[in-house]
Amino acid sequence: MTHTLTREESWQRNTDVMQMSRKIAGFLIAVAVFMIFEWINLGFNLADGHPTAFYVVHGILIAVNIVVAIALGVLGLRGLLGERQQGPPV
């Protein structure tokens, strides 16, 4: 006889699967900070007379990379804070 999991049991079981080390969490945060600094700095350095398409493309690149950096930073912080709440692995 097989036992099927309810939706709640399945969700609870799946939330305990992922674990992130402090090194990985710190690395994600460092990459996020670097990406934001790098792309904002590039945005300020694009002051020469370039065609409009150049600014549009680089504006899109800057926006996408900042969104990716924010996502990586959030994942890193969640990994770092999640490990603190759970304590060291057994």
Side-chain angles (χ1 to χ4, degrees):
M1 183 169 162
T2 61
H3 173 50
T4 58
L5 297 175
T6 65
R7 186 175 293 182
E8 291 80 19
E9 290 172 335
S10 176
W11 184 81
Q12 288 173 350
R13 184 173 286 182
N14 289 337
T15 58
D16 296 334
V17 174
M18 186 180 138
Q19 291 189 6
M20 185 183 303
S21 69
R22 292 188 70 162
K23 287 182 183 180
I24 297 297
F27 176 75
L28 289 176
I29 294 169
V31 168
V33 169
F34 174 76
M35 286 176 68
I36 289 175
F37 172 76
E38 175 189 14
W39 284 99
I40 289 177
N41 190 26
L42 176 69
F44 285 124
N45 289 332
L46 295 175
D48 294 338
H50 294 287
T52 304
F54 179 84
Y55 290 115
V56 170
V57 168
H58 282 82
I60 292 170
L61 285 172
I62 290 168
V64 167
N65 277 285
I66 287 177
V67 169
V68 170
I70 290 170
L72 289 176
V74 168
L75 286 173
L77 284 173
R78 287 181 67 185
L80 194 63
L81 295 175
E83 183 174 287
R84 282 188 187 160
Q85 291 172 354
Q86 291 177 356
V90 177

